[in-house]
Amino acid sequence: MSHCPSAPAGQTSAPLHFHRPANAANAAHSTRADDARRDAVAALFELPFLDLLYQAQTVHRQHHPANQVQLSSLLSIKTGGCAEDCGYCAQSAHHKEAGVPAGKLMAVDEVVQAARAARDQGATRFCMGAAWRNPKERDMPALTEMVSQVRALGLETCMTLGMLEQAQAEALKEAGLDYYNHNLDTAPDFYGQVISTRSYQDRLDTLERVHLAGLSVCCGGIIGMGETRAQRAGLIAQLAALPVPPQSVPINHLVPIAGTPLQDVPALDEFEFVRTVAVARIALPHAVIRLSAGRESMSDATQALCFAAGANSIFLGSKLLTTPNAPVSSDLDLLARLGLQATAASA
């Protein structure tokens, strides 16, 4: 594994002790720790852009192989009709003008066929997403069979199905699931402006169940929903404050969709998005930082800056759930032009 030289004298070093102490004496102590953590993350956002990238790349090379990117694939195994009212999502039953009808859960063999095709295109990770508030018990046998068969293809597996009960998380683990995705989406103080049907604590409770089941946690957010820079810092601080920080962190750039409440949100400056990736890399040094939704509208130069900032995974395929994504050929061409290599399968 290659390493960068240490940061030049006078440059802010990577912040330490982001994670909440396991034996915090009381709530007041925890609050002070949370405030200090958020302040440390906010300070990173204020660094000169090139200094921030340098620091992020230094941290990245200390914990990850240089010039390697994991290729992932995401399949919507059940589309539309979700009971949640997430303001960014076309699959919500509350946003009928977005035009995404409710569908049924895909058959196991269809999912396995899609996973095999993704593997043949170079993906080593296969993610399955269902537009649910939470899975029903009647669906669990099919879901666990999907996991088992996709895992048998040699792919790393991930699912996102909404909120989970403890027994459901344990059943998915037993079936061979590697990661469970459940995003925080944004900072606690902006969350209520985006979602009203599921509380922030609901999300934290599901993450705790996932961790207790022995699954790896995939948890990130969406950038550019109208939040402030301080709230972007708040999201990253919250991720870093989880009892066990997520091993996988998807960073999505909002894709405004007609018919959703966030359809007219002004576009976020691309440098600010890159800053967010860099800050996430520094605050979560061991995590895989995944460039997720929104890449289709990014220039090659912006994506290259994201890789320089420490992103080390992308999603292949023309669609991410219901939003467009860059063509596979374009992605592979960009990686080749940048001298980046696909991470080999470990399964």
Side-chain angles (χ1 to χ4, degrees), residues 253-272:
H253 191 300
L254 176 70
V255 179
I257 300 172
T260 65
L262 299 184
Q263 64 179 5
D264 296 321
V265 172
L268 183 71
D269 177 78
E270 290 191 347
F271 289 135
E272 186 68 15

Side-chain angles (χ1 to χ4, degrees), residues 299-301 303-304 329-340:
S299 68
D300 288 351
Q303 293 184 67
S329 58
S330 296
D331 282 337
L332 297 180
D333 176 68
L334 176 60
L335 296 182
R337 289 158 57 204
L338 296 176
L340 299 176

Side-chain angles (χ1 to χ4, degrees), residues 156-237:
E156 186 177 274
T157 55
C158 182
M159 273 190 163
T160 178
L161 313 169
M163 295 183 290
L164 291 181
E165 297 299 329
Q166 192 62 51
Q168 293 174 326
E170 291 169 0
L172 292 170
K173 172 64 176 179
E174 185 176 353
L177 189 66
D178 296 300
Y179 286 82
Y180 192 78
N181 168 258
H182 200 62
N183 290 336
L184 292 180
D185 284 350
T186 190
D189 57 339
F190 187 69
Y191 182 86
Q193 297 184 50
V194 180
I195 301 161
S196 69
T197 52
R198 185 190 317 182
S199 73
Y200 213 79
Q201 189 60 50
D202 287 336
R203 292 179 183 265
L204 294 172
D205 290 346
T206 288
L207 292 174
E208 182 179 12
R209 292 173 191 134
V210 167
H211 169 64
L212 290 174
L215 290 163
S216 294
V217 172
C218 179
C219 183
I222 304 172
I223 309 304
M225 296 191 292
E227 76 283 352
T228 64
R229 175 180 280 188
Q231 288 163 334
R232 286 188 281 280
L235 167 63
I236 294 174

